[in-house]
Amino acid sequence: MRPVGTAENQTLTDVFTTHRRSLIGVAERITGCRHHAEDVVQDAFLRLLGTESTGSIRAKAGYLMMVVRNLAIDHYRRKGLESRLLAAEEEGQAVSTPEAASPESVNVNRQLLQTLESALADLPERTRYAFEMHRIHGHSQKDIAETLGVSPTLVNFMIRDALVHCRKVMKRADPSRG
C-alpha cells in the first residue's frame, strides 16, 4: 500500500500547480508564444477540471502533459489556418467597393470610359478589332493574325499603335494621368 500524498493520490489542482511551469514550457515550444501557452494550459486545466474521470488516472502529470501538448498543437494549427484564410482588417479597408464610390468619382470614371470609347472609335476597324480581341478578350496575337489574315508581327504593331493612340487621347482628356 502506498502512503497518502503520493502522486497517485494528488488532486488535479495539485498536479497542475506542481507542474505548471513545465506545462507552459511544452505549450510555448509548440505555439511559439508565452501568452498563448498560458492560455492553452489554463484551457487544459478547465477542461479536465470538469471531467470526473481524472480520479482514476495514475500518472496525472504525464496525462496533463499529453493534454496540454495536444491542445497546443490544435491551437497552433488553428492559428495557422486562420492566418491563411483571414486577412488583416487593414487589408479589407483598402478594398474599394462600387457602393463606396462617390458620385463625383463615378462621373469622372464614366467620362473617362466615354473618352476611351471615342478613342477606340477613331482607330481603323482592323486595328480596333486586334486591340479589343487581345487586350479585352485575351486572345493571342497569333490567333488574331489568323482571323485577320495578317502576320503576328503586324498584329503586334496594330495593338501597339492602338495603345499609343488611346494613351494620347486619355492624357489630353485628363492631364493628371501623366
Side-chain angles (χ1 to χ4, degrees), residues 88-108:
E89 184 177 346
E90 295 79 30
E91 292 177 27
Q93 291 174 348
V95 176
S96 65
T97 60
E99 298 84 30
S102 69
E104 295 84 13
S105 65
V106 169
N107 189 35
V108 167

Side-chain angles (χ1 to χ4, degrees), residues 14-176:
D14 294 337
V15 176
F16 259 108
T17 305
T18 305
H19 298 286
R20 185 174 181 276
R21 280 193 183 142
S22 60
L23 292 170
I24 291 173
V26 167
E28 185 177 2
R29 282 192 296 279
I30 295 169
T31 63
C33 173
R34 176 110 179 143
H35 297 292
H36 291 248
E38 290 173 354
D39 289 344
V40 167
V41 170
Q42 181 178 357
D43 188 34
F45 177 71
L46 293 175
R47 285 183 185 200
L48 292 176
L49 193 60
T51 62
E52 296 180 19
S53 63
T54 56
S56 62
I57 299 171
R58 289 187 181 183
K60 288 184 176 131
Y63 181 72
L64 292 176
M65 196 67 73
M66 180 185 68
V67 170
V68 167
R69 182 182 172 279
N70 290 342
L71 286 175
I73 290 170
D74 289 346
H75 176 84
Y76 179 79
R77 287 179 181 161
R78 185 175 53 249
K79 287 295 181 189
L81 179 66
E82 287 173 359
S83 69
R84 287 191 305 272
L85 296 179
L86 304 175
E89 184 177 346
E90 295 79 30
E91 292 177 27
Q93 291 174 348
V95 176
S96 65
T97 60
E99 298 84 30
S102 69
E104 295 84 13
S105 65
V106 169
N107 189 35
V108 167
N109 288 335
R110 283 185 182 153
Q111 288 175 353
L112 289 173
L113 282 174
Q114 288 173 347
T115 304
L116 182 59
E117 185 178 30
S118 174
L120 288 172
D122 292 344
L123 295 171
E125 185 177 337
R126 191 172 70 166
T127 302
R128 183 180 67 243
Y129 175 83
F131 179 79
E132 289 176 351
M133 294 307 289
H134 182 68
R135 296 297 288 229
I136 297 172
H137 300 290
H139 291 276
S140 70
Q141 292 181 13
K142 182 180 175 184
D143 292 341
I144 297 168
E146 288 176 12
T147 303
L148 293 176
V150 297
S151 71
T153 303
L154 181 57
V155 170
N156 187 7
F157 286 125
M158 287 189 286
I159 293 169
R160 185 205 59 198
D161 292 345
L163 185 61
V164 167
H165 174 72
C166 289
R167 283 183 179 158
K168 282 181 185 176
V169 170
M170 296 300 286
K171 189 174 183 179
R172 274 185 267 144
D174 184 11
S176 68

